Amino acid sequence: MKKFNIRKVLDGLTAVSSPSPSPQLGAKENELIPETLQSEHFQLCKTVRHGFPYQPSSMAFDPVQKILAIGTQSGALRLFGRPGVECYCQHESGAAVIQLQFLINEGALVSALADDSIHLWNLRQKRPAVLHSLKFNKERITFCHLPFQSKWLYIGSERGNIHIVNVESFTLSGYTIMWNKAIELSSKAHPGPVVHISDNPMDEGKLIIGFEAGIVVLWDLKSKRADYRYTYDEAIHSVAWHHEGKQFICSHSDGTLTIWNIKSPAKPAQTITPHGKQPKDGKKPEPCKPILKVEYKTTRAGDPFMIFSGGLSYDTVGRRPCLTVMHGKSTAVLEMDYPIVDFLTLCETPYPNDFQEPYAVVVLLEKDLVVIDLAQNGYPIFENPYPMMIHESPVTCCEYLADCPVDLIPALYSVGSRQKRQGYSKKEWPISGGNWGLGTQSYPEIIITGHADGSVKFWDASAIMLQVLYKLKTAKVFEKARCKEEKPSTEIVDEDPFAIQLMSWCPESRMLCVAGVSAHVIIYRFSKQEITTEVVQLLEVRLQYELNDLESPEGGGDQTPAPPTPSTSPSPQTTAPQTHTSTSSNSSDGIRDNIPCLKVRSSPLKQSPGYQVELVVQLVWVSGEPPQQISSLAINSSYGLVVFGNSNGLAVVDYLQKTVLLNMGTMELYGTNDPYQRQPRSPRKSRQPSGGLCDINEGSATSEDRCKSPTSDNRDNSFSRSRSSSVTSIDKEAREAITSFYFCETYNRKADSGVTPSLWVGTSLGTILAISLNMPPAGEQRLLQPVIVSPCGTLVRLKGSILRMAFLDSTGSFLPSAFEPWYEPNAPANGEERDKVRKRRPVSVSPSTSQELNENQYAVVCSEKQAKVISLPSQTCVFKHNITETSFVLRADVVQMNTGISVACFCANGHIMTLSLPGLRPLLDVNYLPLTDMRIARTFCFTNLGQALYLTSPTEIQRITYSQEVCENLQEMLGELFTPVETPEAPNRGFFKGLFGGGAQSLDREELFGESGAGKAPRSLAQHIPGPGGIEGMKGAASGIVGDLARARIALDERGQKLSEVEERTAAMMASADAFSKHAHEMMLKCKDKKWYQF
């Protein structure tokens, strides 16, 4: 444990440079503040990514390992096993993944990218890595095919040629199929790119090649010539084999399917237009939309399945994308919510020459993953266990809580489980590969996401998993406009009027408060019982900017403000809560006044168990000017108060008595000591931009450079927005916005001898002001007597907008805000238990170790530019640290680590930093992620025990850790993708088929494609790049003798594994030979006495 002696620090520092923490004069000599956190406790790394892969482009499935892989347009790779086993990888180039192929049951995957490179991924380690890459220089890759249990990968190109790659060494074979040799004189024109390659299920020596222009070629690999060519006058999109290898099916651009017998190339055996209208005169049916993919799967017991995407008739305008399942005489058209990217049929066998027995279809949509059960009538879908619907409505804000109360997750799960949809398949989720990690992380974690449609979702995020617990729809509180014409003109946003902007949550009491973009605040209580609320309680607040052209002072900012109007009176307002007969009015000249932006519903509201609305607070239009959006929000369950602020001022609401206690402009909070010179302004006429997440005007709020908000800098347009839940810019009219709040029991004045309930307020000009809260006695008196609220003036100033405040006791330990434990609000009113639990539990302030100094608390304050530690009650700044000069902090949180507390900051320049407390020593500074998107700024949040998250794309949450301990344990916590599974036995060929050549024909590909048989490929064609994951299973690049030993051990293991495989194969061959000799002997005995003519 390191002791900080302020005297020694002062002696050693004569001139303090700006990036270093600077202890301030005035601290007592013998004050010792222990600090336990050191820089070695911090390390930054990504942990896990949740959600739906953004902009998916391809998909593959390993039928033995039961692992699903999805590639995206940005080169990302997401791998999914059983629920809770998932992995994210990224191709360095960032090019789109056009195709994926598993080496089935080998723990490897081949990816083909739009930049004409192919990569081999090793999945036998917890974090997959690229073993080899091959970059084509002269050819564009269009299609890949890797036969089951083969090491030779076929690659089709845009020019129509086919190259062959050895996936073990990632080298090109000299064997090439040139397009002109494949089609010869069957077509005068170029056949177009290769759109399909696959070998005949019954004869590995025959390869079917589909060209886009409509030509299919059956190629004999041994004789290096085409056996048959099949020509159709419509472009081909895909080809699929019947498992017996005698027929194949093609899908075409006019919505037709053609079925061909391989020995009848003249015309298709059958032509179907599944969705075409059949004319009565026997003519061809009308053309339909292209069938983009078809799969042909057989069953032992019944008719084959033909499954395809697309092919709808052109007159179905507005029809949703469909997947069609044809089975015997039935045709099922399954509508999808989003366009289909790809689909795969899951079958019982990995062998293409056996009855396929399909049991499910995985459909990859642009924004969802759907799995259809083929075995049940009506083709129900499986319930998706992955957290893929984070983006069901766009995420507008996030909160993250690690180490929350242990009863929270079960409580949320119990109310959320009643919200589940019915009608899912009864079967187990079919993507079930991999094993869970053995995480030692045992504390509960919750993520809350606010959405554009007004919904709030609670997620269980414990042990690097993610599962939705409960969904709250806040829009239910408001009336819905029935049609466009009826849409009220009072809305201040063009779309998503219910979007959630800020959330404040007290996990102990389970009280929740949300602020929406339409300048509304809703307070919720948690209950396990269903209730019906006859009238939703509503408060309407006039929060207006207090200066106007007539009464604004022209001189210095220290003049007395204009006399407050009744609506901005600092005295407590005891107005009863309004019902819906609001005093809203449109005056004769059309100026809107006293009108809220949304209309609260007037009919009774049935509230299910879970979060139930307690009170709605709405800001109203004032003299034709719309209310400003809310920039800060806080709730305290111990005091029963909610406070919110915007660029006009703040309002304190008592949600127990349903009254507004304080409604005050920011300038009035200063009293007569306002340091800023404020300019008069005129009412704003224009509508506000939607959502509060779009561009807003930003400008200098004061002539004093030292107080100039960084939001006023002329920055790139991507930054000129309302940046995070606690940061709101000030417009050019010199408004000072309220940016943060903190409820605490502290010293508001230097002369205070004891702590009192208080509210600290931070503004966009870097000022912290205090408001004293005089609370009535707990119990019944709390509901009868008013809370007295009185501003105490300015405490401290910092550079930049205030982001975060927290309090430490005299030993440097964190002081949490007061809270009230949760109780069931709908329990019988006379219950004794309820009265016991309802008594307020105030914060217990730790006994001071330095009583004689009369310094009992420390306030930690962080702004966009700097952090300060203030000693209380003396209000002396004991430590100061300038976090950044050239950028600004987007998010700051005071976080509890295992061995202490620190300040964690995320800057707009991408740096993640941590500072010790109370000394503000820099402990971590990593240039992690430049701010490229406002979504990151809006959703980034730190929480306790070294956890943090942000939305890395509109559909995905990225979790990171800044804790050394979590980084070290991460390898154990991650799931295993690859698990040793025996490959199923090959289908039995039967004795006579084997004897007379009726079964599957094998091919010695090594002899055909190897260097001895085919020679070397031209070097200029492709360039081999060894990957960083070349040594299987090794963590990092081991060096020295340890690395050599590890490599030798792995090589021995692999050799031993190969030897055991050889032994197994030899034993199988011997058994086969024994069986053959036995059959031959039996035949001989049967036939011994027969004459030749009796056979």
Side-chain angles (χ1 to χ4, degrees):
M1 185 181 285
K2 180 157 181 175
K3 300 274 187 181
F4 238 95
N5 190 311
I6 292 177
R7 179 64 179 269
K8 286 182 182 173
V9 173
L10 288 174
D11 289 344
L13 288 171
T14 49
V16 179
S17 60
S18 60
S20 62
S22 54
Q24 304 294 302
L25 290 166
K28 300 293 181 284
E29 295 179 15
N30 58 347
E31 187 172 1
L32 291 171
I33 306 167
E35 284 197 1
T36 48
L37 285 175
Q38 305 299 327
S39 55
E40 57 265 24
H41 293 125
F42 294 91
Q43 184 186 340
L44 195 71
C45 71
K46 290 181 180 179
T47 52
V48 66
R49 184 174 288 205
H50 302 295
F52 181 77
Y54 184 55
Q55 294 181 327
S57 54
S58 56
M59 177 171 63
F61 183 71
D62 185 326
V64 181
Q65 286 288 321
K66 299 207 180 313
I67 296 283
L68 182 77
I70 296 176
T72 74
Q73 290 178 27
S74 58
L77 201 55
R78 294 282 299 279
L79 296 138
F80 297 92
R82 65 179 63 193
V85 176
E86 55 180 275
C87 181
Y88 158 74
C89 322
Q90 177 69 45
H91 291 91
E92 276 185 26
S93 67
V97 181
I98 55 172
Q99 204 175 344
L100 294 168
Q101 289 268 300
F102 274 101
L103 278 67
I104 293 172
N105 205 27
E106 295 286 336
L109 174 75
V110 172
S111 57
L113 269 57
D115 65 355
D116 310 309
S117 62
I118 55 171
H119 307 268
L120 179 66
W121 289 86
N122 175 16
L123 308 182
R124 290 181 179 234
Q125 54 199 61
K126 289 192 170 184
R127 286 193 181 267
V130 173
L131 292 166
H132 299 282
S133 298
L134 197 64
K135 178 87 167 69
F136 282 78
N137 298 322
K138 296 182 176 179
E139 298 256 28
R140 310 276 344 241
I141 298 172
T142 55
F143 194 86
C144 299
H145 170 64
L146 181 68
F148 179 44
Q149 293 180 326
S150 164
K151 68 174 186 180
W152 298 96
L153 173 73
Y154 301 109
I155 294 183
S157 74
E158 198 172 50
R159 290 184 183 178
N161 304 325
I162 291 175
H163 304 281
I164 298 164
V165 173
N166 181 335
V167 291
E168 283 180 0
S169 60
F170 245 55
T171 51
L172 271 174
S173 163
Y175 192 113
T176 307
I177 304 170
M178 305 303 285
W179 69 270
N180 50 355
K181 190 92 192 296
I183 66 160
E184 284 185 343
L185 301 173
S186 63
S187 169
K188 293 176 183 176
H190 188 280
V194 175
V195 294
H196 182 84
I197 310 166
S198 60
D199 44 356
N200 186 322
M202 286 295 181
D203 188 351
E204 294 173 350
K206 309 286 189 196
L207 198 66
I208 207 157
I209 306 162
F211 294 97
E212 191 180 68
I215 299 173
V216 177
V217 174
L218 186 68
W219 181 263
D220 187 312
L221 288 165
K222 282 182 183 171
S223 64
K224 300 184 182 177
R225 64 182 181 81
D227 281 358
Y228 298 104
R229 297 179 182 89
Y230 315 85
T231 307
Y232 192 71
D233 54 5
E234 290 291 339
I236 291 175
H237 284 280
S238 73
V239 183
W241 279 105
H242 186 284
H243 85 273
E244 289 176 349
K246 294 174 182 174
Q247 280 190 334
F248 63 87
I249 186 168
C250 298
S251 74
H252 298 278
S253 57
D254 64 344
T256 57
L257 297 169
T258 53
I259 298 172
W260 302 78
N261 292 326
I262 57 168
K263 294 188 176 175
S264 307
K267 64 171 189 165
Q270 195 180 353
T271 304
I272 317 165
T273 312
H275 295 297
K277 291 177 183 169
Q278 300 292 337
K280 291 176 183 175
D281 53 7
K283 289 181 182 174
K284 278 178 73 175
E286 290 177 16
C288 294
K289 292 172 185 174
I291 294 176
L292 301 175
K293 183 176 181 178
V294 63
E295 293 205 339
Y296 195 12
K297 302 297 179 185
T298 53
T299 58
R300 250 175 247 282
D303 295 306
F305 281 86
M306 265 191 257
I307 302 164
F308 60 89
S309 61
L312 293 176
S313 61
Y314 279 101
D315 61 4
T316 53
V317 179
R319 180 109 178 242
R320 292 193 294 180
C322 292
L323 186 83
T324 305
V325 180
M326 295 173 74
H327 183 221
K329 291 181 179 176
S330 77
T331 300
V333 181
L334 309 175
E335 287 196 343
M336 301 291 157
D337 289 336
Y338 305 101
I340 297 171
V341 175
D342 196 3
F343 73 89
L344 293 169
T345 310
L346 307 190
C347 301
E348 297 289 355
T349 177
Y351 292 94
N353 58 356
D354 195 7
F355 284 99
Q356 296 298 286
E357 304 295 349
Y359 59 90
V361 183
V362 181
V363 189
L364 179 63
L365 308 176
E366 277 186 6
K367 292 183 179 178
D368 200 5
L369 182 75
V370 175
V371 183
I372 297 158
D373 185 352
L374 289 179
Q376 283 189 42
N377 287 338
Y379 305 132
I381 64 168
F382 290 87
E383 184 175 7
N384 191 331
Y386 306 135
M388 284 199 166
M389 292 314 288
I390 290 168
H391 63 287
E392 190 176 13
S393 170
V395 176
T396 50
C397 57
C398 279
E399 290 299 331
Y400 187 12
L401 187 75
D403 205 13
C404 56
V406 289
D407 58 347
L408 253 185
I409 288 174
L412 287 163
Y413 181 80
S414 69
V415 294
S417 58
R418 306 177 201 191
Q419 300 177 326
K420 293 202 169 173
R421 280 175 49 194
Q422 303 299 312
Y424 289 113
S425 168
K426 303 284 188 293
K427 292 187 178 175
E428 289 287 311
W429 180 249
I431 304 160
S432 56
N435 281 324
W436 292 307
L438 304 166
T440 52
Q441 199 173 299
S442 57
Y443 49 84
E445 298 172 71
I446 288 180
I447 293 170
I448 314 176
T449 51
H451 299 263
D453 64 354
S455 60
V456 176
K457 287 183 186 174
F458 293 79
W459 306 81
D460 177 5
S462 311
I464 71 169
M465 293 191 185
L466 193 69
Q467 181 186 6
V468 71
L469 291 169
Y470 172 70
K471 180 179 175 182
L472 167 67
K473 294 179 179 176
T474 66
K476 283 184 175 179
V477 173
F478 300 103
E479 299 278 5
K480 287 199 175 89
R482 288 183 183 82
C483 60
K484 289 278 179 189
E485 288 72 32
E486 276 189 50
K487 196 170 182 181
S489 58
T490 54
E491 289 186 10
I492 56 172
V493 289
D494 296 323
E495 53 190 34
D496 298 328
F498 309 117
I500 306 294
Q501 204 164 16
L502 298 170
M503 298 180 289
S504 178
W505 190 43
C506 174
E508 289 82 9
S509 67
R510 304 182 193 168
M511 290 297 298
L512 173 71
C513 187
V514 298
V517 295
S518 296
H520 63 276
V521 172
I522 313 175
I523 299 149
Y524 288 93
R525 273 190 197 279
F526 185 86
S527 171
K528 292 181 178 178
Q529 298 179 15
E530 184 177 294
I531 59 163
T532 299
T533 305
E534 293 300 322
V535 177
V536 175
Q537 298 282 288
L538 169 65
L539 282 177
E540 291 183 352
V541 178
R542 285 173 68 92
L543 194 58
Q544 67 187 96
Y545 191 70
E546 63 287 330
L547 296 179
N548 59 37
D549 292 316
L550 295 173
E551 55 192 16
S552 63
E554 294 296 321
D558 58 350
Q559 293 190 18
T560 53
T565 61
S567 68
T568 59
S569 168
S571 61
Q573 294 188 358
T574 52
T575 52
Q578 288 179 243
T579 54
H580 306 288
T581 54
S582 169
T583 55
S584 311
S585 66
N586 270 0
S587 53
S588 55
D589 56 355
I591 292 175
R592 300 185 191 99
D593 195 48
N594 271 5
I595 305 174
C597 304
L598 300 171
K599 190 179 178 191
V600 172
R601 64 183 286 160
S602 49
S603 54
L605 176 64
K606 183 182 170 187
Q607 304 207 66
S608 303
Y611 275 103
Q612 298 172 348
V613 64
E614 172 90 351
L615 178 66
V616 179
V617 184
Q618 286 184 291
L619 295 182
V620 294
W621 289 65
V622 177
S623 307
E625 183 178 347
Q628 297 300 301
Q629 286 176 348
I630 291 160
S631 57
S632 51
L633 176 73
I635 188 167
N636 186 281
S637 58
S638 176
Y639 306 150
L641 301 180
V642 161
V643 59
F644 57 91
N646 62 12
S647 56
N648 285 344
L650 63 83
V652 180
V653 171
D654 181 340
Y655 64 77
L656 297 177
Q657 294 189 25
K658 313 285 190 295
T659 57
V660 179
L661 301 174
L662 184 72
N663 174 359
M664 190 173 263
T666 316
M667 198 197 78
E668 288 180 279
L669 288 171
Y670 286 95
T672 55
N673 300 317
D674 186 358
Y676 303 116
Q677 180 176 335
R678 301 175 194 264
Q679 298 301 315
R681 59 179 297 280
S682 55
R684 173 179 293 196
K685 299 292 192 290
S686 60
R687 279 169 75 88
Q688 250 179 301
S690 94
L693 309 169
C694 305
D695 293 350
I696 58 177
N697 293 327
E698 299 190 340
S700 169
T702 171
S703 58
E704 297 178 39
D705 284 340
R706 67 181 184 84
C707 292
K708 191 181 287 184
S709 167
T711 57
S712 63
D713 302 339
N714 291 322
R715 288 188 302 277
D716 176 68
N717 189 40
S718 63
F719 298 131
S720 60
R721 306 186 180 200
S722 171
R723 287 193 306 279
S724 75
S725 61
S726 57
V727 182
T728 301
S729 313
I730 313 159
D731 41 42
K732 291 171 185 170
E733 296 147 341
R735 294 193 177 188
E736 182 175 9
I738 306 292
T739 56
S740 62
F741 294 114
Y742 197 81
F743 284 102
C744 49
E745 298 206 353
T746 187
Y747 307 90
N748 288 330
R749 295 178 178 86
K750 292 180 184 179
D752 285 357
S753 56
V755 294
T756 53
S758 309
L759 169 65
W760 280 31
V761 180
T763 77
S764 54
L765 296 186
T767 305
I768 291 177
L769 304 138
I771 295 173
S772 171
L773 310 172
N774 190 346
M775 306 300 300
E780 213 172 297
Q781 290 300 306
R782 172 64 186 85
L783 300 174
L784 300 173
Q785 295 183 25
V787 179
I788 308 298
V789 181
S790 47
C792 301
T794 307
L795 290 162
V796 66
R797 285 199 182 86
L798 281 78
K799 280 187 200 166
S801 181
I802 304 293
L803 300 182
R804 191 69 61 211
M805 295 174 276
F807 287 81
L808 314 177
D809 66 14
S810 56
T811 63
S813 301
F814 182 66
L815 278 176
S817 291
F819 62 85
E820 170 186 77
W822 177 77
Y823 63 91
E824 174 54 65
N826 299 319
N830 57 358
E832 285 181 26
E833 286 299 310
R834 176 173 173 180
D835 291 337
K836 276 184 199 169
V837 179
R838 281 213 56 175
K839 291 200 173 167
R840 198 181 112 226
R841 184 201 296 180
V843 168
S844 57
V845 178
S846 304
S848 172
T849 55
S850 51
Q851 291 284 346
E852 71 282 359
L853 301 177
N854 201 24
E855 296 295 341
N856 292 322
Q857 279 185 1
Y858 297 96
V860 181
V861 188
C862 189
S863 77
E864 289 180 319
K865 290 289 188 180
Q866 59 183 189
K868 284 184 180 181
V869 174
I870 313 296
S871 178
L872 297 173
S874 68
Q875 299 183 10
T876 312
C877 178
V878 287
F879 292 104
K880 182 175 104 176
H881 177 75
N882 289 339
I883 299 167
T884 175
E885 293 292 342
T886 55
S887 184
F888 52 91
V889 179
L890 287 159
R891 175 83 184 206
D893 288 285
V894 175
V895 289
Q896 188 88 40
M897 303 294 282
N898 273 334
T899 54
I901 51 173
S902 67
V903 181
C905 307
F906 172 54
C907 284
N909 60 9
H911 283 253
I912 288 177
M913 292 177 260
T914 61
L915 307 171
S916 72
L917 281 176
L920 297 179
R921 289 177 299 118
L923 298 173
L924 175 81
D925 186 352
V926 178
N927 188 1
Y928 170 71
L929 174 87
L931 181 65
T932 52
D933 199 306
M934 284 313 302
R935 180 181 55 255
I936 297 168
R938 205 170 57 232
T939 56
F940 200 104
C941 45
F942 297 97
T943 186
N944 295 332
L945 302 170
Q947 306 286 357
L949 68 79
Y950 59 94
L951 232 73
T952 185
S953 74
T955 62
E956 294 165 291
I957 285 175
Q958 178 68 56
R959 286 164 72 179
I960 60 175
T961 182
Y962 50 95
S963 158
Q964 170 69 33
E965 187 184 347
V966 177
C967 286
E968 285 175 358
N969 295 331
L970 186 58
Q971 198 69 11
E972 287 176 32
M973 291 160 65
L974 293 171
E976 303 252 11
L977 280 168
F978 178 80
T979 47
V981 181
E982 277 196 29
T983 303
E985 281 188 25
N988 192 353
R989 289 162 62 182
F991 173 69
F992 283 105
K993 277 190 175 179
L995 197 64
F996 300 115
Q1001 302 292 310
S1002 61
L1003 170 78
D1004 187 348
R1005 293 190 178 98
E1006 187 68 46
E1007 189 184 319
L1008 260 181
F1009 304 145
E1011 204 170 304
S1012 56
K1016 286 187 175 181
R1019 282 191 177 181
S1020 60
L1021 189 60
Q1023 172 191 359
H1024 176 256
I1025 307 157
I1031 301 166
E1032 183 178 302
M1034 292 193 68
K1035 186 182 175 184
S1039 58
I1041 194 156
V1042 178
D1044 293 335
L1045 282 169
R1047 281 191 278 272
R1049 194 176 71 242
I1050 288 164
L1052 278 170
D1053 287 350
E1054 287 179 351
R1055 189 163 173 262
Q1057 198 176 340
K1058 283 178 181 171
L1059 282 170
S1060 66
E1061 285 172 7
V1062 169
E1063 283 174 13
E1064 284 167 13
R1065 281 183 196 161
T1066 309
M1069 286 170 73
M1070 286 172 70
S1072 177
D1074 283 348
F1076 183 83
S1077 68
K1078 196 193 289 183
H1079 282 304
H1081 186 66
E1082 286 170 7
M1083 287 285 289
M1084 185 195 76
L1085 291 174
K1086 276 184 189 175
C1087 305
K1088 191 170 66 170
D1089 299 320
K1090 289 188 179 181
K1091 305 291 182 189
W1092 64 269
Y1093 53 83
Q1094 291 176 307
F1095 282 97

